[in-house]
Coordinates of all heavy atoms in Angstrom, one line a residue:
K1 N 44.6 44.5 0.0 CA 45.3 44.0 1.2 C 44.4 42.9 1.8 O 44.9 41.9 2.3 CB 45.6 45.1 2.1 CG 46.3 44.7 3.4 CD 46.6 45.9 4.3 CE 47.2 45.4 5.6 NZ 47.5 46.6 6.5
R2 N 43.1 43.2 1.9 CA 42.2 42.3 2.5 C 42.1 41.0 1.8 O 42.0 39.9 2.3 CB 40.8 42.9 2.6 CG 40.6 43.9 3.7 CD 39.2 44.6 3.7 NE 39.1 45.5 4.7 CZ 38.6 45.3 5.9 NH1 38.2 44.0 6.2 NH2 38.4 46.2 6.8
K3 N 42.1 41.1 0.4 CA 42.1 39.8 -0.4 C 43.3 39.0 -0.2 O 43.3 37.8 -0.1 CB 42.0 40.2 -1.9 CG 40.6 40.7 -2.3 CD 40.5 40.9 -3.8 CE 39.1 41.4 -4.2 NZ 39.0 41.6 -5.6
L4 N 44.5 39.6 0.0 CA 45.7 38.9 0.2 C 45.7 38.2 1.6 O 46.1 37.1 1.8 CB 46.9 39.8 0.1 CG 47.2 40.4 -1.3 CD1 48.3 41.4 -1.2 CD2 47.7 39.2 -2.2
E5 N 45.2 39.0 2.6 CA 45.1 38.4 3.9 C 44.1 37.3 4.1 O 44.2 36.4 4.9 CB 44.8 39.5 4.9 CG 45.9 40.6 5.1 CD 45.4 41.7 6.0 OE1 44.2 41.8 6.3 OE2 46.3 42.5 6.4
S6 N 43.0 37.4 3.3 CA 41.9 36.4 3.4 C 42.2 35.1 2.5 O 41.4 34.2 2.5 CB 40.6 37.0 3.0 OG 40.6 37.4 1.6
G7 N 43.3 35.2 1.8 CA 43.6 34.0 1.0 C 43.0 34.0 -0.4 O 42.9 33.0 -1.1
A8 N 42.6 35.2 -0.9 CA 42.0 35.3 -2.2 C 43.0 35.0 -3.3 O 42.6 34.7 -4.4 CB 41.4 36.7 -2.4
N9 N 44.3 35.1 -3.0 CA 45.3 34.9 -4.0 C 45.8 33.5 -3.9 O 46.8 33.2 -4.5 CB 46.4 35.9 -3.8 CG 47.1 35.8 -2.4 OD1 46.4 35.3 -1.5 ND2 48.3 36.2 -2.3
T10 N 45.2 32.6 -3.1 CA 45.6 31.2 -3.0 C 45.3 30.5 -4.3 O 44.3 30.8 -5.0 CB 45.0 30.5 -1.8 OG1 43.6 30.6 -1.9 CG2 45.4 31.2 -0.5
P11 N 46.0 29.4 -4.6 CA 45.7 28.6 -5.8 C 44.3 28.0 -5.8 O 43.7 27.8 -4.7 CB 46.8 27.5 -5.8 CG 47.9 28.1 -5.0 CD 47.2 28.9 -3.9
T12 N 43.8 27.7 -7.0 CA 42.5 27.2 -7.1 C 42.4 25.8 -6.3 O 43.2 25.0 -6.4 CB 42.1 26.9 -8.6 OG1 42.3 28.1 -9.3 CG2 40.7 26.4 -8.7
G13 N 41.3 25.7 -5.6 CA 41.1 24.5 -4.8 C 41.4 24.7 -3.4 O 41.0 23.9 -2.5
E14 N 42.3 25.7 -3.0 CA 42.6 25.9 -1.6 C 41.6 26.8 -1.0 O 41.1 27.7 -1.6 CB 44.0 26.5 -1.5 CG 45.1 25.6 -2.0 CD 46.5 26.2 -1.8 OE1 46.6 27.1 -0.9 OE2 47.4 25.8 -2.4
S15 N 41.2 26.6 0.3 CA 40.2 27.3 0.9 C 40.8 28.6 1.5 O 42.0 28.7 1.8 CB 39.6 26.5 2.0 OG 40.5 26.1 3.0
G16 N 39.9 29.6 1.7 CA 40.4 30.9 2.3 C 39.1 31.6 2.7 O 38.1 31.7 2.0
S17 N 39.1 32.2 3.9 CA 38.0 32.9 4.4 C 37.9 34.3 3.7 O 38.8 34.9 3.3 CB 38.1 33.2 5.9 OG 39.3 33.9 6.2
S18 N 36.6 34.8 3.6 CA 36.4 36.1 2.9 C 36.2 37.2 3.9 O 35.5 36.9 4.9 CB 35.2 35.9 2.0 OG 34.9 37.2 1.4
S19 N 36.7 38.3 3.7 CA 36.5 39.5 4.6 C 35.6 40.5 4.0 O 35.5 41.6 4.5 CB 37.9 40.1 4.9 OG 38.5 40.6 3.7
E20 N 34.9 40.1 2.9 CA 34.0 41.1 2.3 C 32.6 40.4 2.1 O 32.6 39.1 2.0 CB 34.5 41.5 0.9 CG 35.8 42.4 1.0 CD 36.3 42.9 -0.3 OE1 35.7 42.4 -1.3 OE2 37.2 43.7 -0.4
V21 N 31.6 41.2 2.0 CA 30.3 40.6 1.7 C 29.6 41.4 0.6 O 29.8 42.6 0.5 CB 29.4 40.7 3.0 CG1 29.3 42.2 3.5 CG2 28.0 40.1 2.8
M22 N 28.8 40.7 -0.2 CA 28.1 41.4 -1.3 C 26.7 41.7 -0.9 O 26.0 40.8 -0.4 CB 28.1 40.4 -2.5 CG 27.6 41.1 -3.8 SD 27.7 40.0 -5.2 CE 29.5 40.1 -5.5
L23 N 26.3 43.0 -1.0 CA 25.0 43.4 -0.6 C 24.3 44.1 -1.8 O 25.0 44.6 -2.8 CB 25.1 44.4 0.5 CG 25.9 44.0 1.8 CD1 26.0 45.1 2.8 CD2 25.1 42.8 2.4
S24 N 23.0 44.2 -1.7 CA 22.2 44.9 -2.7 C 21.3 45.9 -2.0 O 20.8 45.6 -0.9 CB 21.5 44.0 -3.6 OG 20.5 43.3 -2.9
K25 N 21.0 47.0 -2.7 CA 20.0 48.0 -2.2 C 19.3 48.7 -3.4 O 19.9 48.8 -4.4 CB 20.7 48.9 -1.3 CG 21.5 50.0 -1.9 CD 22.1 51.0 -1.0 CE 22.8 52.2 -1.7 NZ 21.8 53.0 -2.4
P26 N 18.1 49.1 -3.1 CA 17.4 49.9 -4.2 C 18.2 51.2 -4.6 O 18.8 51.8 -3.7 CB 16.0 50.2 -3.7 CG 15.9 49.2 -2.5 CD 17.3 49.0 -2.0
T27 N 18.1 51.5 -5.8 CA 18.7 52.8 -6.2 C 17.9 54.0 -5.7 O 16.7 53.8 -5.3 CB 18.7 52.9 -7.8 OG1 17.4 52.8 -8.3 CG2 19.7 51.9 -8.3
D28 N 18.5 55.1 -5.6 CA 17.8 56.3 -5.0 C 16.7 56.8 -5.9 O 15.7 57.3 -5.4 CB 18.8 57.4 -4.8 CG 19.9 57.1 -3.8 OD1 19.6 56.3 -2.9 OD2 21.0 57.6 -3.9
Q29 N 16.8 56.5 -7.2 CA 15.7 57.0 -8.1 C 15.0 55.8 -8.7 O 15.6 54.8 -9.1 CB 16.3 57.8 -9.3 CG 17.0 59.1 -8.8 CD 17.5 59.9 -10.0 OE1 17.7 59.4 -11.1 NE2 17.9 61.2 -9.8
A30 N 13.6 55.8 -8.7 CA 12.8 54.8 -9.2 C 12.1 55.3 -10.4 O 11.7 56.5 -10.5 CB 11.8 54.3 -8.2
R31 N 11.8 54.4 -11.4 CA 11.1 54.8 -12.6 C 9.6 55.0 -12.2 O 9.0 54.2 -11.5 CB 11.2 53.7 -13.7 CG 12.7 53.5 -14.1 CD 12.8 52.5 -15.1 NE 14.2 52.1 -15.3 CZ 14.6 51.1 -16.1 NH1 13.7 50.4 -16.8 NH2 15.9 50.8 -16.3
G32 N 9.0 56.0 -12.8 CA 7.6 56.4 -12.5 C 6.6 55.6 -13.3 O 6.9 54.7 -14.0

């Protein structure tokens, strides 16, 4: 639903705002 509302389904070349953000974080387990 968010992708549709933000214009993620618009044709190539048309602008659309994003309602999601890509984040990274360390895993809970680290190699010793």
